[in-house]
Amino acid sequence: MRINDNAAARLKELGAELRPGVSLTELTSLGIGGTTDQILLSRYESIPQVMRLLAAENIPHKFLGGGTNVLISDGELPWVILHLPKANPGMRVEGNCAYVDASADLGGMVTFCAKHDLGGMEGLIGVPGSVGGALRMNAGAYGTQIGPHVREVELYRAATGEIETLRGSEIRFDYRHTSFAPEDVMLRVKLELPSKPFKEILAGIKVCNEKRRSSQPLNQKSAGCIFKNPPGGSAGRMIDELGLKGHRVGDAMVSDRHANFFVNTDRATCSDMLKLIDDVRQRVRQANGVELENEVILWRN
Ligand code: EPU
């Protein structure tokens, strides 16, 4: 999708930087995705105006955070990509509360809080992605989820076209799912965290890092787990038990380290990855009578 000259000029007036024809292979952890124009916002406060402008100009759009949990179509994409300001994201601590911008790196936030003797998020340390993405998906690992710590979220609400603040109690955080609308944009979060000495938090972080290193393909291109775990079960174990580690479609492959991670071994396309996902889902359905649900978010054109 190309931004027309009129819209480009007005976006610049709103402080946005435009990058034409960007390949999303560069902006996603899977290294998969087509090409489109990219808009980098300079201020959160400009979002309502930018959104009104894009609506008036009929320019479909999507906000991309860390790009670590999305599978994006190949080819020329029918929407532009927006990014929140990334440089020097705000993070501060006041008592037991941390105030963090959504564009901050999730791991960076965990260590920042740890340095202020605030713990409870050790399990999230190796989860790649932004704080905004973690909020939207209610990211979790090793018994920790971000949701229970959330006291307030400042967000752009698509329904009203305004920036609003929701209390934690107004948001539903379920397993890898939240009550935010798909078009809402997370901007800032207030978390309340338990006090814990830095050294203790560090020890917890070390344990999680070791567990992750020993069971997940961290040095390969992936989007983390492809499927949600079915109630009471493990998608990874089911796929593994079917002997599917190493199974591939083109350069899309079931990791030989963790069977719920599908990796891009070189130049996998979205179409390869989707075929692999469908194939594995079908095999698990036939063998176990379980319909696996995607954990990765699909952006299809
Ligand atoms: N297992 C196998 N073979 C495999 C993978 C796993 O037998 O190839 C077995 C393990 O031995 C273990 C069980 O399955 O007994 C569960 O495996 P694991 O501890 O790796 O956890 P998981 O349920 O596969 C979940 C999250 C991960 C998170 C880990 C650690 C989901 C879909 N996945 O994985 O999150 O890192 O727990 O807490 O909930 C993600 O969200 O993208 C993600 C990777």
Side-chain angles (χ1 to χ4, degrees):
M1 174 96 201
R2 300 291 136 171
I3 293 170
N4 63 54
D5 291 346
N6 178 42
R10 297 201 24 224
L11 282 165
K12 275 188 193 154
E13 282 165 22
L14 292 170
E17 183 193 332
L18 304 187
R19 292 190 185 158
V22 169
S23 168
L24 295 190
T25 55
E26 308 293 323
L27 297 174
T28 57
S29 58
L30 260 175
I32 293 177
T35 304
T36 190
D37 285 0
Q38 187 187 17
I39 303 172
L40 302 144
L41 302 178
S42 60
R43 297 180 300 120
Y44 286 6
E45 289 64 30
S46 67
I47 293 179
Q49 282 166 289
V50 169
M51 300 306 245
R52 281 197 286 275
L53 168 61
L54 296 178
E57 294 283 342
N58 283 318
I59 301 174
H61 54 270
K62 288 180 184 291
F63 268 87
L64 185 66
T68 56
N69 199 40
V70 278
L71 172 57
I72 303 178
S73 289
D74 308 311
E76 180 71 27
L77 301 168
W79 14 263
V80 299
I81 292 294
L82 287 139
H83 291 269
L84 295 178
K86 280 203 180 133
N88 308 315
M91 284 198 259
R92 70 188 167 85
V93 158
E94 245 180 69
N96 278 67
C97 291
Y99 298 78
V100 186
D101 285 356
S103 64
D105 173 69
L106 182 64
M109 177 189 86
V110 175
T111 42
F112 176 83
C113 292
K115 283 178 193 158
H116 289 82
D117 298 314
L118 293 182
M121 294 191 297
E122 292 83 331
L124 293 177
I125 189 67
V127 176
S130 65
V131 169
L135 281 173
R136 161 165 297 288
M137 289 297 292
N138 189 18
Y142 304 114
T144 307
Q145 295 189 7
I146 194 166
H149 300 292
V150 173
R151 294 294 166 266
E152 273 176 16
V153 174
E154 192 185 342
L155 73 169
Y156 167 80
R157 281 194 101 182
T160 59
E162 301 295 341
I163 291 176
E164 296 179 21
T165 301
L166 290 180
R167 284 193 305 277
S169 57
E170 295 175 282
I171 306 161
R172 265 200 36 222
F173 290 99
D174 299 321
Y175 167 59
R176 299 295 196 275
H177 186 266
T178 58
S179 54
F180 297 114
E183 305 79 20
D184 288 347
V185 186
M186 310 294 114
L187 303 180
R188 294 186 183 94
V189 65
K190 174 185 177 185
L191 301 158
E192 191 179 338
L193 301 164
S195 299
K196 220 176 184 185
F198 178 55
K199 271 193 178 165
E200 247 178 65
I201 304 174
L202 217 54
I205 284 176
K206 228 175 135 192
V207 170
C208 292
N209 274 338
E210 273 159 19
K211 279 193 200 163
R212 198 179 283 280
R213 260 198 301 273
S214 68
S215 64
Q216 300 183 357
L218 301 186
N219 55 358
Q220 283 184 290
K221 291 189 228 170
S222 85
C225 286
I226 284 286
F227 300 111
K228 292 184 186 178
N229 283 332
S234 160
R237 187 185 292 133
M238 284 177 185
I239 300 166
D240 192 0
E241 283 172 356
L242 291 175
L244 293 175
K245 279 183 170 168
H247 180 54
R248 58 199 299 160
V249 174
D251 282 339
M253 186 181 94
V254 177
S255 160
D256 41 27
R257 192 160 252 258
H258 192 299
N260 197 12
F261 279 62
F262 291 10
V263 297
N264 172 6
T265 59
D266 190 12
R267 289 164 178 244
T269 61
C270 181
S271 151
D272 294 335
M273 198 51 87
L274 286 172
K275 280 188 199 138
L276 185 63
I277 292 172
D278 284 345
D279 184 28
V280 170
R281 194 189 334 262
Q282 195 184 328
R283 288 170 191 246
V284 169
R285 187 192 303 129
Q286 275 166 0
N288 302 70
V290 170
E291 186 71 16
L292 292 178
E293 202 185 309
N294 288 348
E295 200 269 342
V296 68
I297 308 283
L298 293 188
W299 284 3
R300 304 179 82 160
N301 57 16

